[in-house]
Amino acid sequence: MSDQIAKFYAYVDSHEADFVQRLADAVLYPSISSDQTPQGRQNVISMGSYIHAQFAQFVAKPEDVQLVDLGFQDNTNPQIRLPPVVLARIGEDANKKTVLVYSHYDVQPVGGWKEANVQDPDAFILNTTRPDGQLIGRGATDDKGPIMGWLNVLEAHKSIADGLGKPLAEILPVNIRFLFEGMEESSSLGLDKWINEEVQKPNKGWFNGIQCACITDNYWLTTHRPALTYGLRGIAYFSINIEGATNDLHSGSFGRMVHEPMTDLVKLFSLLVGTNGVIFKEVEEMVPAPTPEERAQYAQLDYAVSDLRQDIGNPVELSEDPVELVMGRMRYPSLSIHGIQGAFDTITTAIPHKISGRFSIRLVGKQTPKAVHEIVDKFLRKEFDNLKSKNKMSLTLEAQGIPWVGDKDHWNFKAAHAATIAVHGVNLTPDYTREGGSIPITLTIEQALDGENVLLLPMGRSDDGAHSLREKLDRDNYFKGTKVYGTYLYELAKQVAS
């Protein structure tokens, strides 16, 4: 270990309380991007300004940190402004590698948090007092923890640089470009457009010279072994819209007299996917069966049925075979039903006259949202016709993302692998995983960089509960994750591009 890395580790160890407070300060912002009220959107914008101010402490020139205005959000009335992209640049040494780091500062809604967390009634006040080391709060792991981890890395190195009487950029082993957005949880609205316009500028604008990318917005496969992620499922998010009478009806007066939208929807939902997780055959047949060689690769992952049970709390797994389980997450498509807009959540005997059933399909391989949309639309229209209902049905593709698989043998991954072992030890070599979730911006970044390698380097564990009513980040993952991020930079500098 070099003297500088040892100083970096020592700084992290001696500033753990400060780093937890930094995360608590970030969690305070209720930056829910799906909240389109004026105050809700201002909360996200304020979070972006906070991130901007934090990174401004570490840049050499004021222009090296920017708030990029993405304009106004579509389909809102009145129009509301999109949260800004936060850019920061540290180092412009042509003799060093340049890495792009991406994360997001918006979070999911918190409906039901207070009821589910009696001891932690406010999702935006980080619980830092638990004896098990869990830091509980919305955004703790997704994705404010990773952003604060990068700030921790910069602060530690700024201290080292000041002690040497040198600029921060001079002692960092690589050049870093940071990109943080505030709409990731809401389809990254506006970001694709900005990136595509930026790379059309002379020398690719802000993306000039970037040789690899690191996305810090995912999680380990388990609670006990680090992971590096080289693949993501895509997504096609749909709504089935069914309309019957002109107004809600009284079931006592009109039950068994009219076609009910809810009945039609439940029938259609039941045909989309079985209780065994298998989707209707036209979607399943788009994906070839795994070869024995593929199964052997998944069997090498350090995963057991008990890992899944630990994450989900109850024994409701679809299989007793861990290989089938991990393939269900990484290799197969999945269809999940999410909710019904227009239904009642109180005791009532009314018949909803208009409802919208929400479901999504996680895509793999060569599946595209466009192709799957056509198949799903054809299937639902046929099945709806079979119902002989006089209601009206339509299908809308609400959001989409293409599946992505990167090159896990690239020097970018070798650097992350070495960094993980350096921090966690040789007995915890990382699993190489394909994540079951979707981060559509991954493919956009890869294309913007003309195919340069993109790596997903997680901080949190599989049981962190991102998007759930008890989201947390373990202290150990927060501090060791900070060390992994910093060590990754040093390992990048050692790699020779092939």
Side-chain angles (χ1 to χ4, degrees):
M1 181 189 300
S2 73
D3 179 61
Q4 188 161 299
I5 295 178
K7 290 180 179 178
F8 163 54
Y9 288 177
Y11 190 95
V12 174
D13 291 340
S14 63
H15 287 76
E16 290 184 353
D18 296 333
F19 291 167
V20 169
Q21 185 58 52
R22 169 174 278 148
L23 178 57
D25 292 343
V27 168
L28 275 174
Y29 290 85
S31 51
I32 303 170
S33 56
S34 62
D35 183 350
Q36 297 185 21
T37 65
Q39 184 58 56
R41 182 49 51 86
Q42 184 55 51
N43 290 335
V44 189
I45 293 172
S46 296
M47 182 68 202
S49 297
Y50 170 81
I51 298 294
H52 176 272
Q54 291 294 301
F55 278 85
Q57 305 172 70
F58 302 109
V59 300
K61 306 185 294 282
E63 59 268 27
D64 286 340
V65 61
Q66 304 174 34
L67 285 171
V68 178
D69 183 7
L70 296 182
F72 291 94
Q73 184 169 327
D74 294 332
N75 71 17
T76 57
N77 188 20
Q79 286 186 322
I80 57 175
R81 188 168 292 280
L82 288 167
V85 168
V86 182
L87 303 178
R89 182 201 319 263
I90 301 177
E92 299 181 73
D93 188 337
N95 295 316
K96 294 180 179 179
K97 286 187 174 65
T98 300
V99 58
L100 169 68
V101 172
Y102 164 93
S103 291
H104 65 90
Y105 60 83
D106 62 317
V107 299
Q108 283 279 330
V110 295
W113 183 288
K114 183 175 181 179
E115 294 76 13
N117 293 279
V118 177
Q119 295 179 338
D120 307 298
D122 192 331
F124 298 105
I125 296 179
L126 188 71
N127 185 332
T128 64
T129 62
R130 291 176 58 88
D132 59 7
Q134 292 184 356
L135 303 168
I136 297 178
R138 175 58 89 225
T141 192
D142 184 21
D143 201 30
K144 295 179 180 181
I147 296 178
M148 298 305 108
W150 285 110
L151 282 168
N152 299 341
V153 169
L154 296 181
E155 179 184 313
H157 283 84
K158 179 68 162 58
S159 175
I160 297 170
D162 290 346
L164 297 172
K166 295 182 178 181
L168 171 61
E170 184 176 329
I171 72 158
L172 285 173
V174 297
N175 307 313
I176 315 176
R177 308 277 180 86
F178 293 100
L179 189 162
F180 305 120
E181 68 157 316
M183 286 294 287
E184 193 275 343
E185 303 291 5
S186 299
S187 302
S188 292
L189 295 180
L191 184 57
D192 274 24
K193 180 176 183 291
W194 176 79
I195 290 176
N196 292 331
E197 290 176 351
E198 188 69 15
V199 296
Q200 297 303 315
K201 294 180 179 179
N203 297 319
K204 299 177 73 66
W206 193 81
F207 292 90
N208 179 44
I210 295 174
Q211 296 160 289
C212 63
C214 177
I215 292 176
T216 50
D217 180 24
N218 67 310
Y219 320 94
W220 297 358
L221 176 63
T222 64
T223 62
H224 55 267
R225 184 173 294 276
L228 304 178
T229 301
Y230 67 95
L232 295 162
R233 290 195 290 191
I235 190 169
Y237 193 102
F238 298 98
S239 62
I240 304 175
N241 312 294
I242 302 180
E243 185 171 0
T246 56
N247 294 292
D248 294 345
L249 303 174
H250 190 294
S251 65
S253 301
F254 297 98
R256 204 162 176 169
M257 293 184 70
V258 299
H259 289 280
E260 299 187 16
M262 188 71 75
T263 304
D264 292 348
L265 179 63
V266 171
K267 285 284 190 181
L268 293 178
F269 270 167
S270 71
L271 297 171
L272 287 172
V273 61
T275 55
N276 60 356
V278 176
I279 308 170
F280 67 91
K281 71 173 185 176
E282 287 86 350
V283 170
E284 289 285 343
E285 290 174 350
M286 298 177 76
V287 181
T291 64
E293 292 76 17
E294 280 186 277
R295 288 189 65 92
Q297 290 180 6
Y298 288 108
Q300 293 175 3
L301 295 173
D302 183 7
Y303 194 77
V305 176
S306 58
D307 291 315
L308 177 60
R309 289 180 178 173
Q310 180 178 346
D311 292 344
I312 62 179
N314 285 320
V316 293
E317 64 277 353
L318 290 177
S319 173
E320 297 298 320
D321 181 356
V323 176
E324 281 297 317
L325 292 177
V326 294
M327 288 198 299
R329 171 172 172 166
M330 302 178 189
R331 199 233 178 243
Y332 295 132
S334 65
L335 190 153
S336 299
I337 296 171
H338 304 296
I340 301 174
Q341 186 178 30
F344 299 107
D345 58 4
T346 58
I347 297 176
T348 179
T349 58
I351 300 171
H353 79 288
K354 182 179 181 181
I355 57 174
S356 178
R358 307 296 175 83
F359 70 98
S360 69
I361 302 177
R362 299 286 179 170
L363 312 178
V364 297
K366 296 182 179 180
Q367 290 179 322
T368 65
K370 181 177 184 296
V372 170
H373 181 202
E374 293 173 356
I375 289 172
V376 172
D377 188 63
K378 181 179 179 180
F379 174 81
L380 285 175
R381 289 184 185 282
K382 176 183 175 182
E383 295 299 336
F384 186 74
D385 288 344
N386 290 340
L387 298 180
K388 306 300 182 183
S389 172
K390 293 182 180 179
N391 294 324
K392 295 179 180 179
M393 189 276 292
S394 64
L395 180 72
T396 302
L397 178 61
E398 304 280 2
Q400 57 186 294
I402 301 288
W404 167 81
V405 177
D407 178 10
K408 65 180 183 296
D409 297 319
H410 190 272
W411 50 261
N412 192 21
F413 277 83
K414 292 178 181 178
H417 184 104
T420 302
I421 291 176
V423 174
H424 291 279
V426 294
N427 293 326
L428 287 177
T429 57
D431 278 328
Y432 282 73
T433 65
R434 288 165 60 174
E435 183 57 66
S438 307
I439 308 177
I441 201 63
T442 305
L443 189 60
T444 302
I445 290 173
E446 184 179 74
Q447 293 171 342
L449 300 180
D450 293 329
E452 297 286 11
N453 187 266
V454 180
L455 155 79
L456 273 73
L457 181 57
M459 173 181 279
R461 309 189 329 179
S462 61
D463 65 347
D464 279 356
H467 299 197
S468 80
L469 299 181
R470 197 168 183 80
E471 181 179 347
K472 59 85 176 172
L473 176 65
D474 290 86
R475 285 173 178 264
D476 190 61
N477 282 71
Y478 183 38
F479 303 136
K480 286 184 178 177
T482 292
K483 290 180 179 179
V484 168
Y485 290 173
T487 310
Y488 163 68
L489 303 180
Y490 288 94
E491 294 296 335
L492 272 181
K494 297 178 184 178
Q495 299 297 319
V496 177
S498 58

